[in-house]
Amino acid sequence: MDCENNNSESKGNELKMMESKDWVKHTLDLPMVAKPGEYSSYCSGCSLILGKLIEITTNQKIENFAKKNLFYPMGITNYSWVFEPNQASKTTFNQKYITSRDLIKLAKMYKDGGKWNDQQIVT
């Protein structure tokens, strides 16, 4: 997709995306510029699409889904996250704030194949 955060000319550049009312729709409407798998670049809109897909498939806000299925089982309680992929998040940009110790927990869980304390958290 024409989505490069480091390229101000890209139609999917995050600053251009932030001007739109619906960031997910803006990203999904971007034109393809290469065949899938031929080229890669970082695109903030793609992670927002994944978050919205989780909300659609679970029929709940991603923050609630993550709290129940990720943060709570890992003992992560000191965090802040509001997921609104639209202009309401123009200043926070949907950022999740967690402690450095909790970030290490997430990294260890990832390193251990999605397991935390012998419990499969992520498949």
Side-chain angles (χ1 to χ4, degrees), residues 4-110:
E4 288 185 66
N5 283 354
N6 294 328
N7 179 355
S8 61
E9 300 301 313
S10 171
K11 292 178 182 176
N13 176 279
E14 66 183 16
L15 295 176
K16 292 179 182 176
M17 177 189 70
M18 290 171 68
E19 294 172 4
S20 69
K21 291 183 181 186
D22 182 335
W23 298 353
V24 171
K25 181 178 182 337
H26 174 84
T27 303
L28 289 171
D29 288 344
L30 293 172
M32 295 296 291
V33 294
K35 291 180 183 176
E38 281 186 357
Y39 177 78
S40 177
S41 66
Y42 182 77
C43 175
S44 295
C46 290
S47 60
L48 299 176
I49 289 170
L50 289 174
K52 192 50 102 173
L53 285 171
I54 290 171
E55 290 187 338
I56 290 168
T57 57
T58 64
N59 199 29
Q60 58 185 306
K61 298 286 288 174
I62 192 170
E63 303 100 299
N64 297 334
F65 179 81
K67 181 179 184 177
K68 177 183 173 190
N69 297 287
L70 180 66
F71 300 142
Y72 180 76
M74 295 183 70
I76 296 173
T77 59
N78 186 13
Y79 67 92
S80 174
W81 186 22
V82 177
F83 182 76
E84 288 291 333
N86 56 47
Q87 289 181 335
S89 293
K90 203 167 186 178
T91 57
T92 62
F93 205 65
N94 300 299
Q95 295 296 315
K96 175 176 64 259
Y97 301 92
I98 63 173
T99 67
S100 54
R101 288 182 187 265
D102 289 337
L103 182 59
I104 291 170
K105 285 182 180 181
L106 291 170
K108 180 159 179 19
M109 182 266 302
Y110 179 77

